[in-house]
Amino acid sequence: MALSIQLPDASRTSETSSSVSLELSLDGGFAVPENNAFGNGFRDYNKESERNLSVEEFYRKNHIYQTYEFAKKKREEYGKLDKAEMSLWECCELLNEFIDESDPDLDEPQIQHLLQSAEAIRRDYPDEDWFHLTALTHDLGKVLLHPSFGGEPQWCVVGDTFPLGCAFDESVVHHRFFKDNPDSNNPKYNTKLGVYSENCGLDNVTMSWGHDEYMYMVAKANNTTLPPAALFVIRFHSFYAMHRSGAYQYLMNEEDEKMLKWLHIFNTKYDLYTKSKVLIDVEKVKPYYLSLIEKYFPAKLKW
């Protein structure tokens, strides 16, 4: 299967990026495996296992405590970008200390997931270096878990994301736990549109707070020259209800629809299915990714 899409010129800023026609195939060299690292189907939240029991408990907390007001306060707090100054690669190394409790498919340190997805894209699309770096960067917001950033609990850092300020769609994983979320009983927030208008655009939507939102904010504030498609992937790669189930389309505008093509490429194959017990030699690939970081980001970023 192939997707004919417009490729943003990654050498330009988001304000001045141009487009060239390119045919990108979903049938590149990376072979999608049938099972995850535990021998189960990917994103199988019903499989009885000790891992999935912990995932379920994670989502119980996540769905109860992620409210519209909570996310607004977190965006304001972390939008100051006053936690640290460090390079993108230094952030990658910090993630060596963490395993994502919401992930039913892998229990390896996060730097391995970043490199596994980046290397698979690099193999399939060797000329799209901005896409390689997008994969390396997409989960760096999980640094919120680090004590130097306040040691946030996992329920407000990782996991699937979803809009706040409107009704919770039934396609969101473990939807039943939303019944105990205060917003579910608030008439201001529990209708289809809630505080939004039809086709207002995802830029105007408050998403559940977590690593996606944080890394998106960090990238924009530090003037990355990654193209708009990269920023869209970083911000919405955990928004499975939208890009996998087709929910919340009434909030999307025309620009969101264009960017969604890139997100489908990333999520259909690389973000989820590259998770593996076959680990990447970090030191071997490090020089290549350092060169990409130098190309698209400043030497030191404010976090």
Side-chain angles (χ1 to χ4, degrees):
M1 177 176 65
L3 293 178
S4 181
I5 59 182
Q6 293 297 109
L7 173 65
D9 182 351
S11 67
R12 301 174 182 267
T13 65
S14 60
E15 289 78 21
T16 62
S17 64
S18 61
S19 298
V20 294
S21 180
L22 182 76
E23 189 82 4
L24 282 187
S25 170
L26 291 180
D27 298 325
F30 173 72
V32 176
E34 294 183 2
N35 298 310
N36 65 18
F38 304 104
N40 303 323
F42 285 89
R43 285 180 63 85
D44 183 354
Y45 292 99
N46 297 314
K47 195 78 175 179
E48 291 185 7
S49 69
E50 183 176 341
R51 179 69 176 167
N52 270 22
L53 288 175
S54 66
V55 171
E56 184 170 320
E57 174 59 16
F58 162 87
Y59 275 111
R60 185 187 69 81
K61 295 177 181 177
N62 174 276
H63 290 356
I64 292 174
Y65 301 132
Q66 286 276 4
T67 66
Y68 182 74
E69 293 302 324
F70 171 81
K72 286 279 192 180
K73 289 179 181 178
K74 286 297 181 185
R75 285 180 63 86
E76 181 179 354
E77 175 186 353
Y78 284 99
K80 298 173 183 176
L81 300 180
D82 59 359
K83 302 300 181 183
E85 285 194 18
M86 61 180 170
S87 70
L88 211 66
W89 187 262
E90 287 175 317
C91 186
C92 289
E93 292 180 328
L94 278 182
L95 290 187
N96 256 336
E97 303 175 25
F98 299 107
I99 293 172
D100 187 340
E101 291 180 0
S102 73
D103 192 345
D105 298 320
L106 190 67
D107 58 357
E108 296 292 344
Q110 283 299 294
I111 193 171
Q112 282 298 322
H113 167 53
L114 299 179
L115 288 171
Q116 286 169 349
S117 58
E119 283 293 281
I121 293 174
R122 182 183 177 189
R123 185 159 59 248
D124 284 2
Y125 308 118
D127 297 329
E128 322 311 329
D129 66 356
W130 69 269
F131 206 15
H132 313 164
L133 186 58
T134 300
L136 183 76
T137 306
H138 78 282
D139 272 349
L140 289 186
K142 291 179 182 179
V143 74
L144 288 170
L145 296 167
H146 200 275
S148 64
F149 285 75
E152 293 282 7
Q154 293 231 1
W155 63 262
C156 73
V157 177
V158 298
D160 285 19
T161 59
F162 41 86
L164 296 166
C166 61
F168 300 112
D169 191 87
E170 291 186 359
S171 63
V172 180
V173 62
H174 289 307
H175 177 271
R176 67 187 184 279
F177 293 129
F178 284 125
K179 63 180 176 57
D180 294 320
N181 185 304
D183 288 359
S184 293
N185 299 312
N186 189 329
K188 184 179 179 180
Y189 303 135
N190 64 8
T191 61
K192 177 182 175 179
L193 287 174
V195 299
Y196 308 111
S197 58
E198 194 90 17
N199 305 122
C200 62
L202 295 179
D203 270 350
N204 298 307
V205 171
T206 297
M207 298 293 293
S208 54
W209 175 253
H211 71 280
D212 311 61
E213 284 290 296
Y214 181 55
M215 191 60 220
Y216 169 73
M217 289 168 52
V218 168
K220 286 196 69 175
N222 284 280
N223 299 316
T224 179
T225 55
L226 284 172
L231 295 177
F232 192 88
V233 169
I234 290 169
R235 188 181 184 204
F236 297 115
H237 68 272
S238 300
F239 191 5
Y240 277 87
M242 182 264 291
H243 63 69
R244 192 176 199 187
S245 302
Y248 298 104
Q249 292 188 23
Y250 48 85
L251 296 177
M252 299 171 64
N253 60 21
E254 189 174 324
E255 186 64 20
D256 295 329
E257 294 288 350
K258 294 177 182 178
M259 295 295 101
L260 187 57
K261 297 175 183 178
W262 283 106
L263 191 57
H264 279 149
I265 291 173
F266 181 70
N267 282 88
T268 298
K269 192 171 182 180
Y270 300 106
D271 187 23
L272 182 60
Y273 299 107
T274 55
K275 295 172 184 176
S276 169
K277 289 293 186 180
V278 180
L279 304 184
I280 302 294
D281 185 335
V282 177
E283 290 305 312
K284 183 178 180 180
V285 301
K286 180 178 177 180
Y288 174 70
Y289 289 102
L290 286 177
S291 71
L292 296 190
I293 291 169
E294 183 179 0
K295 180 178 179 180
Y296 291 106
F297 282 92
K300 293 287 186 179
L301 284 71
K302 292 182 178 180
W303 299 79

